[in-house]
């Protein structure tokens, strides 16, 4: 059974920071591409960050580049999203996702269709 559980969201002032966690069970995260997406009220779910199974291969949306960092702890089988200098426009529900295919290459990690497993989301609210 594959399960992804996000945590770490909350209310923060603009300029503050948060670290989101995605705890995975059922499969080893280091073997699969992992992604973070977010969905603001009334908006479609959009790409935020992703990490391939290959070490050091990370990808970010232009809106968060330089502020957000995706990483993983293999021992804990957990993926993180470190967010700094948060802005009100970052307010959204953040979702963790995992590709069902192991050791992929050439996969478009910015696309929602790439991912097969999704967590329930964690709310991030940034006040101005």
């Amino acid at each position: 059974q594959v399960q992804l559980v996000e945590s770490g969201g909350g209310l923060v002032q603009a300029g503050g920071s948060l670290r989101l966690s995605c705890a995975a069970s059922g499969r080893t995260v280091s073997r699969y591409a992992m992604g973070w997406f977010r969905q603001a009220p009334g908006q479609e779910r959009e790409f935020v960050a992703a990490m391939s199974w290959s070490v050091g291969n990370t990808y970010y949306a232009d809106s968060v580049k330089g502020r957000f960092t995706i990483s993983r702890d293999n021992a804990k089988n957990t993926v993180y999203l470190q967010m700094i200098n948060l802005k009100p426009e970052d307010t959204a529900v953040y979702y963790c996702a995992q590709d069902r295919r192991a050791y992929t290459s050439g996969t478009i990690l910015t696309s929602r269709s790439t991912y097969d497993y999704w967590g329930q989301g964690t709310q991030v609210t940034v006040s101005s």
Side-chain angles (χ1 to χ4, degrees):
Q1 181 71 31
V2 176
Q3 184 176 2
L4 305 174
V5 180
E6 303 97 335
S7 63
L11 175 64
V12 65
Q13 293 181 330
S17 63
L18 287 171
R19 188 180 73 164
L20 306 184
S21 298
C22 175
S25 63
R27 302 197 305 174
T28 303
V29 297
S30 63
R31 299 176 181 175
Y32 305 87
M34 303 293 298
W36 284 98
F37 291 75
R38 67 187 182 187
Q39 188 167 17
Q43 305 297 316
E44 295 185 352
R45 194 169 301 186
E46 65 177 2
F47 169 76
V48 176
M51 171 178 285
S52 74
W53 66 270
S54 300
V55 176
N57 291 343
T58 57
Y59 310 86
Y60 299 93
D62 289 341
S63 60
V64 306
K65 192 172 298 182
R67 299 188 298 118
F68 291 11
T69 303
I70 186 172
S71 63
R72 66 174 181 248
D73 185 331
N74 292 338
K76 296 181 178 180
N77 206 35
T78 299
V79 176
Y80 302 97
L81 184 67
Q82 180 67 54
M83 307 184 294
I84 64 171
N85 193 25
L86 284 162
K87 304 175 181 180
E89 52 263 43
D90 294 320
T91 296
V93 176
Y94 284 71
Y95 298 89
C96 177
Q98 184 178 62
D99 187 358
R100 78 176 194 279
R101 298 158 294 186
Y103 304 113
T104 57
S105 62
T107 306
I108 302 175
L109 300 183
T110 59
S111 174
R112 289 176 293 172
S113 64
T114 292
Y115 303 92
D116 305 282
Y117 306 108
W118 296 83
Q120 297 302 304
T122 184
Q123 176 71 47
V124 172
T125 302
V126 184
S127 62
S128 60

